[in-house]
Amino acid sequence: DGWKGENRGRVRRVNRVTEEGWFQKTYAIEIEVDGRGKIDIEPGDVLRVKPKNRKEKVERIIKLMKECGRFEDVVREGATMVISKVVDSSSSVPDSFEGSLTSSSVLTTLTSLLTSSVDLGYTGVDVNTMHELSHYVDLNAEKGGMQYDKLRSLAGGEGEALFRDYVVKEKRGIVEILEEFDSVWGPDGITLPGLLSVFRSIQPREYSISSSPSDTAKKGTVEILAAVKKGTTRLGRKYVGGCSDYFIDIVEGMEKRANDVNGRPPKPPNTGTTEESTIPTKPPPSINGADISPSYPSDYVVYTVRSGSFGVVSRLGPGFPLLCVGSGTGIAPLRSVLRERGKGEGDVLVQGFRKEGMDEYYAREWEEMGIEVWKAESQKGVRKVYVQDVIREREVLKEEL
């Protein structure tokens, strides 16, 4: 099926690749492969990352449960809970937990469940969420009747436009929904099974690997290019994408520790090399060139690798120069291909970006590799220029084809 097994590696290095002052932050993120540095990667392969929720969102849910007063058994510190294990990923009860597994159940903590398994972002809400929540509204609460009617409207077929305006366009997640429809926390409101029924599983996000197989063999890491997805809705609500939020959490933690070093030399890394190890002695983790020591558990990323479609292309010899076309972070798999092929292949790259010097990824690297680059800068002037326009303007290309 193209999957190459699950890995768990720490974030080794983070570098911002968009310039300061540019509206979007994009990071080149290096993540360690498994303990021996062995993983079968081809150019263009895909990294599938399972994000986690930020502590702030988890604490907001737990605060609601504590104030409700009916969840003492699971909200107290150190308490564990047993939940039926569900195999079907489309189920409303999450199918993966950090905890002790049996064939039919899982032992976990509430914090672990909310951090690693439940989608607390705006992608974790659908019309079924509204329908299920409506069953747990305490109609005796002050706003119970009104909130029940609104939930039913949001869940109904005729309420599609209302749901789109209220949830989709305004990026409301399950945390905001549970806070706004507070009548579900009344004395006759939601139960623990009911609460679990409205949660959705965190879905992995996919990123094309931008490093080459040779890079991985040498450094023991894979690299991805991740753009932070964030913005403001028309009503002024600020939002961040689920995996973007996850990476921001890692980046901010690494930045804080980099500042805490205050010029002190980092501790030497524990290489723990063995005869089987293929990972060379590693430098300490770093962010934007600043060393960090040590790594923290929050720096670890759980991921799988899926086969891409460029492997055969990357192995073509110098008699077969490539024309590579990509825009934005879509340049990542092309970098993997070009780095694996090396210099002097006569390859041409058509690269799309918004503004030269701001989000023109890997520009210096292309120059060092001797890659001919045809630039498509969409915000250069009044007329927007895209990759297809650049190709169309290159008459020589038509003759060579």
Side-chain angles (χ1 to χ4, degrees):
D1 60 1
W3 293 105
K4 301 180 179 181
E6 184 173 282
N7 290 267
R8 180 177 181 269
R10 72 184 65 187
V11 174
R12 174 56 57 181
R13 186 169 287 104
V14 175
N15 285 307
R16 181 172 173 176
V17 293
T18 46
E19 292 299 314
E20 289 293 334
W22 188 241
F23 76 96
Q24 185 175 49
K25 293 181 179 180
T26 302
Y27 296 97
I29 302 174
E30 284 189 40
I31 305 169
E32 288 182 354
V33 299
D34 63 22
R36 291 192 297 265
K38 296 178 179 178
I39 189 171
D40 180 23
I41 290 178
E42 292 283 346
D45 279 358
V46 175
L47 200 74
R48 198 181 198 210
V49 177
K50 183 182 178 186
K52 293 183 180 181
N53 294 306
R54 300 191 80 169
K55 183 178 179 181
E56 176 267 336
K57 286 187 177 181
V58 173
E59 290 178 342
R60 285 164 64 185
I61 292 286
I62 293 178
K63 179 175 181 289
L64 290 170
M65 297 178 71
K66 285 182 176 179
E67 292 175 347
C68 175
R70 294 197 305 275
F71 301 96
E72 291 87 351
D73 291 342
V74 293
V75 297
R76 73 175 187 273
E77 186 174 355
T80 58
M81 53 199 297
V82 177
I83 303 175
S84 298
K85 181 182 176 184
V86 179
V87 177
D88 182 5
S89 61
S90 65
S91 170
S92 58
V93 181
D95 63 340
S96 59
F97 303 87
E98 288 188 354
S100 303
L101 291 171
T102 68
S103 59
S104 60
S105 64
V106 60
L107 178 65
T108 187
T109 65
L110 179 64
T111 299
S112 177
L113 170 70
L114 295 176
T115 301
S116 304
S117 300
V118 174
D119 189 344
L120 298 182
Y122 57 82
T123 56
V125 178
D126 56 26
V127 292
N128 291 325
T129 307
M130 303 304 186
H131 183 266
E132 290 159 9
L133 269 180
S134 70
H135 295 303
Y136 299 102
V137 171
D138 185 349
L139 295 175
N140 294 318
E142 180 181 353
K143 301 177 183 176
M146 180 181 66
Q147 292 187 358
Y148 174 83
D149 291 340
K150 186 170 183 178
L151 284 169
R152 299 298 288 186
S153 297
L154 288 165
E158 297 179 358
E160 182 178 346
L162 179 62
F163 178 86
R164 186 169 59 251
D165 290 340
Y166 182 76
V167 177
V168 180
K169 292 183 179 180
E170 288 304 307
K171 309 295 185 185
R172 280 183 169 86
I174 189 63
V175 179
E176 290 81 13
I177 298 296
L178 289 171
E179 288 174 338
E180 292 179 26
F181 290 90
D182 54 359
S183 59
V184 301
W185 300 103
D188 297 321
I190 200 163
T191 60
L192 181 59
L195 187 60
L196 294 177
S197 74
V198 302
F199 288 144
R200 302 293 181 261
S201 298
I202 292 180
Q203 297 302 308
R205 274 65 164 179
E206 294 189 344
Y207 297 87
S208 292
I209 295 174
S210 59
S211 52
S212 70
S214 298
D215 293 330
T216 297
K218 180 180 179 181
K219 301 168 69 176
T221 62
V222 291
E223 183 176 316
I224 60 173
L225 198 58
V228 173
K229 182 181 180 182
K230 62 189 304 184
T232 304
T233 69
R234 62 180 182 177
L235 296 183
R237 295 173 54 86
K238 296 185 182 300
Y239 68 90
V240 182
C243 211
S244 294
D245 213 15
Y246 175 48
F247 283 132
I248 288 172
D249 202 22
I250 292 176
V251 168
E252 288 179 349
M254 295 178 76
E255 286 176 337
K256 181 179 184 302
R257 298 203 308 279
N259 292 332
D260 289 345
V261 170
N262 290 323
R264 288 176 286 129
K267 298 178 182 178
N270 180 15
T271 56
T273 56
T274 65
E275 291 183 1
E276 294 183 328
S277 177
T278 60
I279 300 181
T281 300
K282 299 188 184 75
S286 69
I287 177 159
N288 295 326
D291 290 344
I292 305 170
S293 182
S295 289
Y296 282 55
S298 59
D299 295 345
Y300 281 86
V301 174
V302 176
Y303 64 90
T304 53
V305 176
R306 177 172 63 80
S307 296
S309 56
F310 294 159
V312 175
V313 173
S314 67
R315 291 190 289 271
L316 293 175
F320 297 90
L322 299 181
L323 174 66
C324 301
V325 183
S327 297
T329 56
I331 209 76
L334 302 180
R335 177 182 185 253
S336 178
V337 170
L338 293 171
R339 286 184 65 83
E340 189 67 8
R341 283 169 62 82
K343 299 180 180 180
E345 300 288 7
D347 299 328
V348 174
L349 172 65
V350 185
Q351 182 175 8
F353 51 89
R354 288 186 174 93
K355 192 172 184 60
E356 188 171 17
M358 301 301 287
D359 63 335
E360 188 183 359
Y361 306 137
Y362 305 118
R364 183 178 302 174
E365 193 170 308
W366 307 139
E367 184 177 348
E368 292 172 352
M369 293 174 63
I371 302 294
E372 182 179 352
V373 181
W374 300 351
K375 299 181 180 182
E377 184 181 358
S378 64
Q379 294 186 5
K380 186 175 183 178
V382 177
R383 174 176 171 266
K384 294 184 179 296
V385 178
Y386 300 105
V387 290
Q388 60 268 30
D389 300 317
V390 171
I391 294 175
R392 190 179 299 114
E393 291 168 0
R394 295 276 180 157
E395 293 296 332
V396 64
L397 175 63
K398 297 179 181 178
E399 295 175 8
E400 290 177 357
L401 291 176

